[in-house]
Amino acid sequence: MAAFLYRMGRLAFRRRWTVALVWAAVLAAVGLAGMTAPEAEEEPFSMPGIESQEAFDLMEERFPGAAADGATARVVFVSPNGEKVTASENKKAVEAAIAELADGTQVASTVDPYESGAVSEDGSTAYTTVTYKVDAAGLTDASRSHLDESLEHARDSGLTVEAGGDAMEDMGGPSGTAEAIGVSVAAVVLLITFGSLAAAGLPLLTALIGVGISLFAITALAGPLGLADTTSTVAIMLGLAVGIDYALFIVSRYREERAKGRAAQEAVALATGTAGSAVVFAGLTVVIALAGLSVVGIPMLTEMGLGAAGAVVVGVLIALTLVPAFLGFWPNAILTRKDRKARRAGGTPRETHKVNGGTRWASFVLRRPLPVLLAAVAGLGALALPMTDLQLGMPGDEAKSTQTTQRRAYDALAEGFGPGFNGPLTVVVDARDADDPKAAAETVSGQIGGTEGVVSVSPAQFNESGDTAVFSVVPTTAPTGQETKDLVNTIRGDRPGIESEAGATFEVTGTTAMNIDVSEKVQSALVPYLLVVVGLAVILLLVVFRSILVPLKAAAGFLLSVLASLGAVVVVFQQGHGADLLGVETTGPIMSLMPIFLVGIVFGLAMDYEVFLVSRMREAYVHGERPAQAVTSGFRHSARVVAAAALIMIAVFSGFIGDSDAMIKMIGFGLASAVLLDAFVVRMAIVPAVLALLGERAWWLPKWLDRILPRVDVEGEALTRPAGPEAEPAEKDLART
């Protein structure tokens, strides 16, 4: 591996113009494909293998056209000062508002609340549903403006008027603020780390090129594959973070080799052969973790995982080819000011083994490994404790800011019609084999209506064939409440008796039931996913480090960091501690996909730091240093760079905390806290402490296993060669280019 990458880096350096032009051509071609690609149609959320999805599919089959994708806006009218919406003046204002809403060019229909019974029992609240001919993405600016103006005109009458539904969602796409914040902080961290504008700018430049290629590729494929917006968001998030980090490690190793007096071309080749090997295996662990999300069986999660994995692959390829090529263009500009000054004076900088922050910290841990280990594990364990209170769900309008009309509409409906009104259950009765379909539907409806926790049941609506009925069930509790989940399980648990009496089958669906089923499926898939991903990564690390205990220690450290980060998510987003600081106005269940998505990404990133840090220790150990000395050497060379890489990732992920999308906000916070804990607690404290306690045993591998494992030479043992002043003529030639 190291020898192959050595030759690749050397070739990229020598053929730098060719490499740069090839990547420029790739960016141009993918960019053109992305810009000319037809706009992707929004695919409905689907979840194969769960009851609510099967029921929804049955509805589409038996009620063709009824489940159309037309956007909807549910407009809520609340009377002022204890009045009733049925009072003549208020009724006139509501009817005028509905007439104005119906006048929209893309409006398919509106519903009169006074005829449909959409008025609360106390008469304070009424609502209408506006259905459009197109989906939310197809609404024109004129239609959105017409909706907003109609709401404002209705408010002029003195009524409180709010609206929810997908027609109210902002379709403007990501603003780029998060990315700008992340890049800005990354630039500052790189400048402090390298002390050179060129050295700081190169990782940013190559990372942005990689993100651009990935983003354009996803945009081009979004239409044919039906990719969601979150696919590109997560790909940008991870592509930017790992792209900067991987380039950072190559550039850092290049400067280290130049400090030994090597020629620029040789330094690039060695950096690519050694640090590049770590980049390959680190990237491979991230790809395994992300691609492994497909085993869960959730299409949206699969899309996000594969899209982000593709962005990581692009980042790895750019780090191994374009970074060496750019180093060929600016071989001396990347160096420290001191080294550049020495070269201009005709001298040759030499590597120094001075004590730095990394060695001081490593020495501290090596002197007190057990107290450091116990303190770190206890701290992470305390953070992980809130995980025992984890509740999964899919936050809706109730999680939005109270400054949004969607949230105010949600609250008004809950107050006027009860908390369960915002999350009705939909029951689909398949009476194809029943002697009397109508009687069968009435039996099912009556039995469910008498279940404790049900407020009301709507009249059954039949399809044209008369063999399938649909009715709504309004619970007494909120959509995300545990009581609602218990109600769904009770209805399904009573199904055999109800179906036997009715002579027909039924299934429960709707947004609330879908969220409950998704949560249960994710929880059941988490353990198999962990076994697959962690198992593959442990095998990979076994090959890289040729040790049994080091990969097991890496996996255990990951579990600690991911549980602690999930605990932090529960503390903020579910329990509400510190929620105001992040702009989280309403707490509630954690997004169903969050745990498994966080596990996938954090595992890959955690293995990044493990490979980068421990590979330098392994390299020192293989080259003859004692175990404790090897730990110190690894920290001398890698601690500062790993810390910088972690800070960059934290900055990139933290930028997404300000996103208006609750899912992206939660992912950004979870990833930022996970990287913080994994890099600075697990890898910087637990790893050296465990290695100090294990000593020689850390690198033990049975002889029979040593014989059958492939040798990849991540340490670059085959590349070891003396550095000398013979490099200087090449240096002078490069300075002229």
Side-chain angles (χ1 to χ4, degrees):
M1 170 68 75
F4 171 76
L5 294 176
Y6 173 90
R7 292 191 294 270
M8 179 186 291
R10 191 180 184 92
L11 180 64
F13 183 94
R14 294 173 59 190
R15 306 293 185 188
R16 48 191 173 275
W17 278 109
T18 302
V19 172
L21 289 174
V22 166
W23 279 110
V26 170
L27 179 59
V30 178
L32 181 63
M35 289 186 288
T36 57
E39 188 173 348
E41 295 184 6
E42 190 72 21
E43 293 288 329
F45 180 81
S46 64
M47 177 70 70
I50 59 176
E51 177 178 325
S52 51
Q53 183 65 53
E54 293 171 356
F56 182 79
D57 294 340
L58 180 64
M59 287 175 60
E60 286 195 319
E61 177 189 342
R62 302 285 178 87
F63 294 83
D69 293 334
T72 59
R74 189 151 64 172
V75 182
V76 187
F77 304 92
V78 181
S79 56
N81 303 322
E83 298 178 12
K84 296 183 180 296
V85 290
T86 52
S88 58
E89 288 299 319
N90 291 333
K91 183 177 182 180
K92 187 182 300 182
V94 170
E95 290 176 339
I98 294 174
E100 184 176 357
L101 287 166
D103 196 36
T105 56
Q106 292 182 299
V107 173
S109 64
T110 56
V111 178
D112 188 323
Y114 303 103
E115 295 180 1
S116 62
V119 179
S120 62
E121 287 187 9
D122 62 3
S124 65
T125 309
Y127 71 91
T128 183
T129 301
V130 182
T131 305
Y132 290 85
K133 302 173 184 176
V134 295
D135 61 16
L139 287 176
T140 63
D141 291 340
S143 292
R144 293 182 184 277
S145 297
H146 176 265
L147 175 57
D148 291 337
E149 290 170 2
S150 299
L151 298 180
E152 287 298 327
H153 294 161
R155 291 178 183 126
D156 292 340
S157 66
L159 295 170
T160 297
V161 184
E162 308 294 349
D166 57 357
M168 300 301 298
E169 296 295 335
D170 180 15
M171 296 293 168
S175 65
T177 304
E179 294 87 336
I181 293 172
V183 170
S184 301
V185 176
V188 174
V189 173
L190 288 169
L191 189 58
I192 294 173
T193 302
F194 286 130
S196 162
L197 284 173
L202 193 149
L204 287 174
L205 175 61
T206 54
L208 289 173
I209 291 172
V211 167
I213 291 172
S214 302
L215 183 58
F216 282 129
I218 291 173
T219 303
L221 296 172
L225 301 182
L227 303 180
D229 290 340
T230 49
T231 304
S232 59
T233 304
V234 175
I236 293 171
M237 188 188 297
L238 277 178
L240 191 59
V242 302
I244 294 173
D245 280 3
Y246 294 166
L248 168 64
F249 281 98
I250 299 287
V251 172
S252 178
R253 188 60 182 257
Y254 167 79
R255 294 195 350 159
E256 183 182 324
E257 296 299 333
R258 290 297 300 275
K260 297 176 181 178
R262 300 190 191 278
Q265 180 172 285
E266 182 69 5
V268 165
L270 284 170
T272 310
T274 53
S277 297
V279 166
V280 169
F281 283 98
L284 196 53
T285 57
V286 180
V287 170
I288 287 174
L290 292 170
L293 291 170
S294 58
V295 305
V296 180
I298 301 175
M300 185 180 78
L301 207 56
T302 300
E303 293 171 7
M304 292 166 66
L306 293 179
V312 172
V313 170
V314 172
V316 170
L317 293 176
I318 283 181
L320 298 177
T321 56
L322 190 58
V323 170
F326 279 174
L327 290 173
F329 289 119
W330 303 288
N332 293 331
I334 301 296
L335 305 180
T336 64
R337 186 178 303 172
K338 182 179 179 180
D339 284 357
R340 292 198 303 271
K341 188 180 295 184
R343 290 180 183 280
R344 284 195 296 268
T348 302
R350 293 290 174 181
E351 181 186 29
T352 61
H353 293 279
K354 65 180 181 180
V355 175
N356 58 22
T359 57
R360 284 192 290 270
W361 172 251
S363 299
F364 172 81
V365 176
L366 291 173
R367 289 194 302 270
R368 305 170 182 82
L370 191 56
V372 169
L373 178 61
L374 293 176
V377 171
L380 292 177
L383 276 175
L385 276 179
M387 265 285 294
T388 57
D389 188 38
L390 176 67
Q391 297 176 10
L392 298 180
M394 291 294 284
D397 285 346
E398 77 279 4
K400 288 184 168 63
S401 167
T402 53
Q403 297 179 359
T404 64
T405 186
Q406 296 99 314
R407 169 61 187 279
R408 293 195 294 268
Y410 179 96
D411 292 341
L413 287 170
E415 184 176 349
F417 296 89
F421 185 82
N422 283 298
L425 307 176
T426 301
V427 177
V428 185
V429 181
D430 184 357
R432 177 172 286 183
D433 298 328
D435 296 332
D436 186 346
K438 289 188 177 181
E442 288 177 1
T443 300
V444 174
S445 175
Q447 290 285 346
I448 293 177
T451 304
E452 184 179 354
V454 172
V455 173
S456 62
V457 175
S458 69
Q461 302 292 323
F462 281 84
N463 62 345
E464 290 185 4
S465 302
D467 58 6
T468 307
V470 174
F471 60 87
S472 295
V473 178
V474 178
T476 58
T477 52
T480 56
Q482 180 63 36
E483 298 87 349
T484 305
K485 179 179 179 180
D486 294 339
L487 173 63
V488 172
N489 291 332
T490 297
I491 293 173
R492 289 172 173 172
D494 294 341
R495 176 162 36 207
I498 298 175
E499 290 181 342
S500 176
E501 182 179 346
T505 61
F506 73 88
E507 292 175 317
V508 182
T509 186
T511 302
T512 301
M514 176 74 78
N515 292 341
I516 292 170
D517 290 347
V518 169
S519 299
E520 291 180 350
K521 179 166 184 176
V522 168
Q523 284 180 307
S524 64
L526 187 56
V527 173
Y529 172 70
L530 272 173
L531 291 175
V532 171
V533 173
V534 175
L536 288 174
V538 166
I539 293 172
L540 184 64
L541 294 179
L542 184 67
V543 174
V544 172
F545 295 127
R546 309 198 71 77
S547 162
I548 290 180
L549 296 179
V550 169
L552 293 177
K553 176 262 307 169
F558 151 72
L559 290 174
L560 276 174
S561 60
V562 77
L563 288 175
S565 61
L566 279 172
V569 170
V570 170
V571 167
V572 175
F573 289 88
Q574 183 175 306
Q575 298 177 351
H577 302 294
D580 292 342
L581 299 175
L582 302 181
V584 181
E585 296 191 15
T586 302
T587 58
I590 303 303
M591 182 183 63
S592 300
L593 303 182
M594 181 67 185
I596 202 161
F597 186 73
L598 188 65
V599 165
I601 295 180
V602 172
F603 182 79
L605 299 181
M607 294 306 103
D608 264 10
Y609 300 125
E610 180 75 14
V611 171
F612 287 132
L613 188 60
V614 180
S615 64
R616 291 308 299 264
M617 300 177 190
R618 170 74 181 172
E619 183 178 339
Y621 178 75
V622 167
H623 291 162
E625 294 187 10
R626 301 295 300 164
Q629 188 182 1
V631 171
T632 303
S633 294
F635 269 80
R636 176 187 297 114
H637 294 296
S638 298
R640 186 183 183 191
V641 181
V642 167
L647 289 174
I648 289 169
M649 282 203 178
I650 292 169
V652 172
F653 296 146
S654 296
F656 288 86
I657 295 175
D659 198 286
S660 59
D661 188 292
M663 178 178 178
I664 299 301
K665 182 190 290 287
M666 195 178 293
I667 289 175
F669 175 80
L671 289 177
S673 59
V675 170
L676 175 68
L677 296 171
D678 193 87
F680 293 104
V681 179
V682 175
R683 308 306 154 187
M684 293 291 188
I686 293 179
V687 166
V690 171
L691 292 178
L693 292 171
L694 291 175
E696 293 278 359
R697 290 167 294 181
W699 308 109
W700 173 77
L701 185 69
K703 291 183 179 179
W704 64 268
L705 188 56
D706 184 57
R707 286 193 299 269
I708 64 175
L709 285 178
R711 294 188 177 274
V712 294
D713 189 22
V714 176
E715 302 83 20
E717 192 174 3
L719 306 180
T720 305
R721 64 190 67 192
E726 72 278 1
E728 293 306 307
E731 299 260 339
K732 294 175 182 176
D733 290 340
L734 285 164
R736 299 191 192 102
T737 61

